[in-house]
Amino acid sequence: MLRRPAPALAPAAWLLLAGLLCGGGVWAARANKHKPWLEPTYHGLVTENDNTVLLDPPLIALDKDAPLRFAESFEVTVTKEGEICGFKIHGQNVPFEAVVVDKSTGEGVIRSKEKLDCELQTDYTFTIRAYDCGTGPDGADVKKSHKATVHIQVNDVNEYAPVFKEKSYKATVVEGKRYDSIVRVQAVDADCSPQFSQICSYEIVTPDVPFTVDKDGYIKNTEKLSYGQEHQYKLTVTAYDCGKKRATEDVLVKVSVKPTCTPGWQGWNKNRVEYEPGTGALALFPNVHLETCDESVASVRATVELETSHIGKGCDRDTYSEKSLHRLCGAVSGAAELLPSPRSSLNWTVGLPTDNGHDSDQVFEFNGTQAVRIPDGVVSVSPKEPFTISVWMRHGPFGRKKETILCSSDKTDMNRHHYSLFVHGCRFIFLLRQDPSGEKKYKPAEFHWKLNQVCDEEWHHYVLNVEIPRATLYVDGISHEPFSVTEDYPLHPSRIETQLVVGACWQGGDLHMTQFFRGDLAGLTIRSGKLADKKVIDCLYTCKEGLDLQIPEDNGKGVKIETNPSQSMLTLEGEDVGVLEKALQHVAYLNSRQFPTPGIRRLKLSSTVKCLNEAACISVPPVDGYVMVLQPEEPKISLSGVHHFARAASEFESSEGVFLFPELRIISTITREVEPDGERDEDPTVQESLVSEEIVHDLDTCEVTVEGDELNPEQESLEVDLARLQHRGIEVSSSDLGVIFTGVDTMASYEEVLHLLRYRNWHSRSLLDRKFKLICSELNGRYVSNEFQVEVNVIHTANPMEHASHMAAQPQFVHPEHRAFVDLSGHNLANPHPFAVVPSTATVVIVVCVSFLVFMIILGVFRIRAAHQRAVRDQDTGKENEMDWDDSALTITVNPMETYEDQHSSEEEEEEEEEESEDGEEDDITSAESESSEEEGGEHGDPQTANRQQQLEWDDSTLSY
């Protein structure tokens, strides 16, 4: 067969082929050389209720043949890059598919084809390949990638609720016992994940039942059950999985109580007793009964313990300053307080850390690196005279080194200790070196006491009475003699001054501190000249709270009662159980403080029973509880009086001075909630109302401080009549900052003392005003009053005769500049402004005119009244003209000052009305401003008023601003 030769290409076709070859657009010149590329492994997460798989890393196929794409039309190949056309999943029964999202980037996603169930299968593993689009328009020569492994985890959804294994549970217990486990309830969850399939907690839904259930479903009783109170308890219990999903149905648990006889105290089921301050004694066991199970009891010993060691310094005591407490207990005055509460004049304890609590005493903490120097002159101790050191201390077994509480040593040059109080281990040691001026022979110098209280980390009260050669130590009111006394030779004479330090000892030769104390101190005082009396020591240690027992005479026979000094332990012993029960029912808690420290006091009742048959004697378990002292209603101490007044300069320079608080009033109030009447209890719209009630209590401090510049002792002072303070328990101390009154006394006494406080300034020419601030407090700063501020202005009087000709030239001084708004409540001067000038001549004229006007008014009233009496007499005589007005005796007198007086009196009345109205709205407007505004208004009034004002002007040419 002969073949025909191929037809020749037309010229146009050759041109088109050449153009395409030159432009690089012929697809036949490219080949699909590379396979798509995938990551070797993918990990994915999918939720049961979702079909999109989150992959890590993302599903992206890469192809090195890019940017040209294959398996596309000729035109597209020229304008676009290469593409990925698909993914293929390999595996059996794989409920996922892979879809290309973007062919140009090779991005794809895996999604589920059907709803997933974690409970059926939790994870899937399969392989996947990527395919490119091949070559040519028909997609020939398709390349595929390697197989990549995909691991997909199915996340669980908390779709199933817990279900209990049993429909109900039953258990039986014996009364009077506490069980670790009575019965166990169990629930299961059908979810696949540990988070949602595990049961995380069980809960008893029934309220107010003495049972609890733990996370494993074990139910136990929280208190001893009594058959007499309840025969059977029905509890509803529910379960929660770890996703907080509650069981669809709760389960019923029945706990039956079997009666049994168990020895013990009955009738005291509550372990919390609430004590309201100010209510007196509160019975702790009013219905207590001892169950002996018919045993033959020979005797019963019951001990009630009240735990108060965590309150204050071992128990609740008055939190006044130590000096005030000594005075209240009857101690001789003169005690020097070495650790006072920081204030302006007693500031050496400012740097010490404290407990920062106002409910208890101020306690200072020493951590082994801190100490305070006592200023010179605060205290003076002489070995030749008796003296007493008192301190509260809490110290633990911190080591074998010496720890100094108090030390007086050489300030420079040498390291001699003149007297020192320190602890060494569990020893309490006092050192006292004799004065060089004494006899040159050995005398007792170091006294040692070995006490467990020193290192038991509890609060104890130490009082040391020193009268050489004897020293007696009282610890918590009990005396202890030293077990060892060391003698020493007196110190050598020297002129070196001494330094008193608390918390360490100063080494004057080395110029540094040593023997630092670690523990807590409070109430450190020294009193020279006299020893502390035993009654005072007992009073200082006595608690204000404790156990109280008041037994009627017919109920206490045959009961032996013992108590400790702190009243925290009470023991009753008797042979008759019934009599002892009645005595125990009268045991009460008592807190005599008006404002006690709130909080918990642990309570324990333990018993010992002796039977006739010792082998079969019963054992009575202890009863535990606590007394909750409620928060007392806090008083609000309010100071009120005259805030602003002015006095003449001569009064400040006089011997009496100016009284700062002449009208001071101190009151204290508390706010109580008043419940509605019984008839309105059912009305939900009726709410409780708050009522303020005034109460009476003591104060222990009032501090008057000067604001602005400190007092200059050369020209001013604050003074008080000390003779009037002698019969009161108030002491006064003054400084350049002000005056401090201390001592426990009534609010009325403090009022009277503050009324006597005077301010003097014997160089008042340059003084315009002085401001003072008063603050009072109770219980060592626990309750503090408001800040009562007083401003005193000085009135400088000028002579109007010397500069009368200058008044018209300087009218601007008639209207003083308003610097500030001040309160005028209680002012007794018309213009208390510090720059106001009151001329004496004008004052005399005004007083005379007003007096004359008053006299004329009284005279007129008297004349009218006399005429009226005559008319009544005429009426009685039966005159025909009895209704006529008899004015024959009436005389009309014209007052030459009538115009001025009428206008002046009306203006004064208007001023008073304006001041009264303005006092209610703005307390800080001054009388100077009122007069200034009236003078300005007078300029627009009638000429007569202006003329009168011009006549009453005075010379203020000497006034300086």
Side-chain angles (χ1 to χ4, degrees), residues 607-850:
S607 307
T608 302
V609 179
K610 294 182 179 181
C611 303
L612 298 178
N613 184 7
E614 296 291 339
C617 193
I618 60 176
S619 175
V620 179
V623 177
D624 295 324
Y626 63 92
V627 177
M628 171 59 74
V629 179
L630 302 180
Q631 178 75 35
E633 295 174 337
E634 297 190 359
K636 181 181 179 181
I637 305 173
S638 302
L639 309 179
S640 60
V642 179
H643 289 274
H644 189 185
F645 60 89
R647 294 290 185 271
S650 59
E651 295 187 31
F652 289 90
E653 297 177 357
S654 65
S655 59
E656 291 189 358
V658 174
F659 293 97
L660 292 181
F661 310 104
E663 300 180 12
L664 178 67
R665 173 71 172 147
I666 305 177
I667 62 172
S668 182
T669 58
I670 59 174
T671 302
R672 297 183 182 272
E673 292 185 357
V674 178
E675 298 181 356
D677 298 337
E679 300 178 356
R680 303 180 181 179
D681 289 345
E682 299 179 356
D683 189 357
T685 61
V686 178
Q687 298 180 353
E688 295 181 349
S689 59
L690 299 179
V691 177
S692 181
E693 178 181 342
E694 184 173 348
I695 63 172
V696 177
H697 59 80
D698 293 334
L699 298 177
D700 62 353
T701 302
C702 279
E703 184 172 3
V704 181
T705 56
V706 60
E707 295 189 347
D709 298 336
E710 298 180 358
L711 293 175
N712 185 359
E714 297 180 357
Q715 68 179 25
E716 58 182 344
S717 66
L718 289 172
E719 300 176 358
V720 66
D721 189 359
L722 298 179
R724 298 193 181 185
L725 296 180
Q726 292 180 355
H727 64 285
R728 302 188 182 277
I730 300 178
E731 294 183 357
V732 59
S733 60
S734 60
S735 66
D736 295 343
L737 300 176
V739 176
I740 300 178
F741 298 92
T742 57
V744 182
D745 213 326
T746 62
M747 293 186 292
S749 297
Y750 268 93
E751 270 188 16
E752 183 177 348
V753 170
L754 290 170
H755 288 167
L756 303 176
L757 182 63
R758 308 185 306 270
Y759 170 67
R760 291 185 59 204
N761 192 311
W762 44 92
H763 296 288
S764 60
R765 293 182 179 179
S766 60
L767 180 66
L768 299 178
D769 56 23
R770 246 330 189 172
K771 296 180 180 179
F772 300 90
K773 179 177 66 176
L774 170 64
I775 297 178
C776 295
S777 63
E778 164 70 336
L779 294 176
N780 206 15
R782 180 176 174 182
Y783 302 117
V784 183
S785 71
N786 61 305
E787 291 186 359
F788 182 75
Q789 296 182 344
V790 171
E791 180 178 351
V792 182
N793 298 131
V794 182
I795 301 176
H796 298 278
T797 304
N799 189 354
M801 302 301 297
E802 297 179 0
H803 307 283
S805 61
H806 300 285
M807 175 57 68
Q810 298 179 356
Q812 66 272 20
F813 291 107
V814 178
H815 307 285
E817 178 186 357
H818 304 309
R819 292 194 308 169
F821 291 92
V822 294
D823 186 10
L824 283 185
S825 59
H827 284 199
N828 51 9
L829 291 179
N831 186 8
H833 196 279
F835 294 98
V837 178
V838 181
S840 58
T841 304
T843 302
V844 172
V845 172
I846 292 173
V847 172
V848 171
C849 292
V850 173

Side-chain angles (χ1 to χ4, degrees), residues 158-176:
N158 194 9
E159 54 189 331
Y160 294 100
V163 178
F164 284 96
K165 292 183 177 181
E166 304 290 340
K167 292 185 178 181
S168 64
Y169 295 86
K170 296 181 180 180
T172 302
V173 296
V174 179
E175 69 171 351

Side-chain angles (χ1 to χ4, degrees), residues 449 451 453 460-465 472-482 533-539 541-542 563-566:
W449 291 269
L451 304 167
Q453 292 91 329
H460 296 284
H461 185 229
Y462 300 84
V463 177
L464 181 62
N465 279 340
T472 304
L473 177 65
Y474 293 87
V475 181
D476 298 337
I478 302 175
S479 62
H480 298 266
E481 295 296 329
D533 187 75
K534 183 64 169 61
K535 294 182 179 180
V536 175
I537 297 174
D538 292 339
C539 175
Y541 179 71
T542 301
T563 183
N564 64 341
S566 61

Side-chain angles (χ1 to χ4, degrees), residues 26 142 846:
V26 180
V142 175
I846 292 173

